[in-house]
Amino acid sequence: MEQKQVLDNLYALRAGLSVISQQYDKSLEIEDECDEQLAKNAESLNGAPVCFGWGIGSKLSNLQERYGYIMHYDEQRKNGVQHNITKEENYELGVKAYNHWLAYDESFQYFRQNLVEAENSKTQTKGGTDNKDYSVIQKIFSSICFIIAGLTGFLVIAVISGMLGSACQNNSFMAIQFVLPITVISLILAIIFICLATGRKKAYKREIQGKDAELRIAATMLQRLPQVRENARAIINEKDKKIAPLVKSSNEFYMALKKQFSYLLDERDWKNLDLVIYELETRRADTVKEALQLVDRELQTERIQQTIVQATEQICYEIRRGFAELRETIVECSRVISAQLSVISLQLGGMSGQLTELCDSVNMANALQEKANVSSRQLLNEIEAIRFYQ
């Protein structure tokens, strides 16, 4: 097989992989739609807290890993760990995992625990600040008031005594000078104590009201959780129904590609497809075998990342430059794959419309162009994600 035909077939393989990658893109769109619906569903809990703890349940832990939420984000940043997402983006990922998690039974225990903690918190608040304390304070205020009244009475008597005789005037003035500062200070202290007691009582009342509100919210969320859970399950089931055909068609299409191109390039080397094409395009190699040997050498050096970037750029350029020439190969490839899919699907009663659309030559050509700047490694990662979707 001449080198041009080999390259054309390798590009056709890339077109086929790009088609499956587009199925993965469709699954992401369905996932995003599902996440939006789950978010609206979670809002109906009315003030639901966002639970990010790994210890809450295995399902939440798995979902946080799936959505890419990073635990202890701030702590890791302080320790010098760099992340590709911002704190706000990380929070949003955690919210998505939480909204999804509401569909599972283990979420009930979390909301039940919220209610218990709210009840205990209110009990501790009431026990920690007993109303009897306020009675003691009021007695102290009363005593202070009596002292002030006694001092005032003493002052009045002293003044009156001074008015009855001039001999007593000096004593009266001395009494006034002695008692008046004490009276003023006592009065100021009494006012301060009264203000503090009043403020403390209001703060206590607000604290109790806050605990009552937390208790009501916790009880309401626990009461609404069963309906929210059923809604979440319905949303997820609908999402799975939409994605299931994509998974099925992607697997069947992948098997057809494997039958068609494994003789040319082993399935295990598809992730290095760009590098193989690059070695052939730049005439560093004359055969696929030689190209693979060069790829192995690149993989053993630190140059691989730069080479992958160069390969992807070269392929993107070649696809745009020689797209018209590739059309004929893609048409033939799609015809062969269609025939293979018909055999694979024969026992199912014929090839489905979904598969027919996938192996259409126009769709394959469009997919090749759309995914031209995506590396083959990334294509294979996306293909694996849709083929083994969970």
Side-chain angles (χ1 to χ4, degrees), residues 269-283:
D269 292 315
W270 286 4
K271 63 180 178 297
N272 298 319
L273 177 59
D274 288 350
L275 294 173
V276 172
I277 294 176
Y278 176 71
E279 303 295 352
L280 292 172
E281 285 278 13
T282 57
R283 301 192 183 281

Side-chain angles (χ1 to χ4, degrees), residues 65-80:
E65 291 177 354
R66 174 183 175 183
Y67 280 94
Y69 172 73
I70 301 171
M71 285 291 293
H72 310 300
Y73 183 91
D74 290 336
E75 183 178 336
Q76 291 188 28
R77 289 293 296 270
K78 289 180 181 178
N79 293 333

Side-chain angles (χ1 to χ4, degrees), residues 256-274:
L257 289 175
K258 186 177 177 180
K259 286 187 176 182
Q260 174 68 11
F261 295 106
S262 286
Y263 80 96
L264 182 61
L265 185 65
D266 189 272
E267 175 191 11
R268 290 167 292 186
D269 292 315
W270 286 4
K271 63 180 178 297
N272 298 319
L273 177 59
D274 288 350

Side-chain angles (χ1 to χ4, degrees), residues 240-371:
D240 291 340
K241 287 180 181 179
K242 292 179 180 180
I243 292 181
L246 301 179
V247 175
K248 182 176 181 297
S249 60
S250 295
N251 274 297
E252 294 187 6
F253 195 77
Y254 184 87
M255 295 305 298
L257 289 175
K258 186 177 177 180
K259 286 187 176 182
Q260 174 68 11
F261 295 106
S262 286
Y263 80 96
L264 182 61
L265 185 65
D266 189 272
E267 175 191 11
R268 290 167 292 186
D269 292 315
W270 286 4
K271 63 180 178 297
N272 298 319
L273 177 59
D274 288 350
L275 294 173
V276 172
I277 294 176
Y278 176 71
E279 303 295 352
L280 292 172
E281 285 278 13
T282 57
R283 301 192 183 281
R284 288 175 170 80
D286 295 325
T287 64
V288 173
K289 183 178 180 180
E290 291 178 2
L292 288 172
Q293 290 174 346
L294 291 175
V295 169
D296 288 338
R297 293 177 190 173
E298 293 287 352
L299 291 172
Q300 295 172 3
T301 69
E302 296 179 355
R303 297 178 298 172
I304 186 63
Q305 191 64 38
Q306 181 180 358
T307 306
I308 290 174
V309 173
Q310 291 176 347
T312 304
E313 291 176 351
Q314 176 71 21
I315 287 171
C316 188
Y317 168 76
E318 290 295 336
I319 287 174
R320 288 181 171 82
R321 184 186 65 82
F323 186 70
E325 299 177 5
L326 287 172
R327 280 185 177 276
E328 184 177 347
T329 301
I330 293 175
V331 169
E332 177 62 20
C333 175
S334 65
R335 183 190 65 78
V336 174
I337 293 175
S338 179
Q340 292 176 354
L341 287 172
S342 296
V343 174
I344 294 173
S345 304
L346 185 60
Q347 56 184 335
L348 301 177
M351 189 164 57
S352 66
Q354 180 78 17
L355 288 172
T356 302
E357 181 181 349
L358 289 185
C359 63
D360 181 77
S361 60
V362 175
N363 288 336
M364 289 184 65
N366 291 339
L368 179 63
Q369 282 190 309
E370 182 179 327
K371 297 286 183 173

Side-chain angles (χ1 to χ4, degrees), residues 89-108:
E89 291 172 337
N90 186 56
Y91 179 84
E92 291 299 323
L93 294 175
V95 171
K96 287 183 178 180
Y98 166 80
N99 294 340
H100 195 148
W101 177 64
L102 294 177
Y104 297 101
D105 290 333
E106 69 181 23
S107 61
F108 174 81

Side-chain angles (χ1 to χ4, degrees), residues 34-257:
C34 173
D35 287 336
E36 291 179 4
Q37 294 176 350
L38 289 174
K40 292 180 181 178
N41 178 58
E43 290 176 0
S44 61
L45 278 175
N46 187 21
V50 176
C51 171
F52 289 152
W54 289 86
I56 295 299
S58 59
K59 293 292 185 181
L60 180 60
S61 298
N62 293 337
L63 286 168
Q64 287 175 329
E65 291 177 354
R66 174 183 175 183
Y67 280 94
Y69 172 73
I70 301 171
M71 285 291 293
H72 310 300
Y73 183 91
D74 290 336
E75 183 178 336
Q76 291 188 28
R77 289 293 296 270
K78 289 180 181 178
N79 293 333
V81 180
Q82 298 297 322
H83 300 297
N84 295 326
I85 57 176
T86 64
K87 182 178 179 179
E88 291 72 20
E89 291 172 337
N90 186 56
Y91 179 84
E92 291 299 323
L93 294 175
V95 171
K96 287 183 178 180
Y98 166 80
N99 294 340
H100 195 148
W101 177 64
L102 294 177
Y104 297 101
D105 290 333
E106 69 181 23
S107 61
F108 174 81
Q109 183 60 34
Y110 169 68
F111 286 99
R112 174 60 185 166
Q113 185 64 30
N114 279 347
L115 180 60
V116 172
E117 290 178 358
E119 292 172 344
N120 292 339
S121 179
K122 181 180 178 181
T123 301
Q124 292 174 1
T125 300
K126 293 181 70 176
T129 310
D130 198 272
N131 286 326
K132 292 180 180 180
D133 295 338
Y134 297 113
S135 299
V136 175
I137 294 174
Q138 288 174 355
K139 289 180 180 179
I140 295 174
F141 295 157
S142 299
S143 299
I144 293 174
C145 290
F146 280 124
I147 292 173
I148 295 173
L151 292 174
T152 305
F154 176 78
L155 178 60
V156 171
I157 292 173
V159 171
I160 293 175
S161 298
M163 290 180 178
L164 294 176
S166 59
C168 299
Q169 288 182 358
N170 292 333
N171 293 332
S172 298
F173 291 139
M174 291 178 61
I176 292 175
Q177 291 177 353
F178 175 75
V179 173
L180 188 57
I182 298 176
T183 304
V184 173
I185 293 173
S186 299
L187 183 60
I188 292 173
L189 289 175
I191 294 173
I192 291 174
F193 288 145
I194 291 173
C195 291
L196 289 175
T198 303
R200 178 60 183 149
K201 190 171 184 178
K202 289 181 179 179
Y204 171 75
K205 186 176 180 181
R206 287 195 300 268
E207 191 174 0
I208 291 297
Q209 289 175 344
K211 298 301 179 182
D212 286 335
E214 291 177 5
L215 188 60
R216 286 195 300 271
I217 291 175
T220 300
M221 288 191 297
L222 186 62
Q223 181 181 4
R224 294 178 179 178
L225 180 61
Q227 184 60 52
V228 171
R229 183 190 297 120
E230 291 304 314
N231 293 342
R233 287 175 176 173
I235 293 170
I236 294 172
N237 288 337
E238 182 64 23
K239 181 255 306 183
D240 291 340
K241 287 180 181 179
K242 292 179 180 180
I243 292 181
L246 301 179
V247 175
K248 182 176 181 297
S249 60
S250 295
N251 274 297
E252 294 187 6
F253 195 77
Y254 184 87
M255 295 305 298
L257 289 175

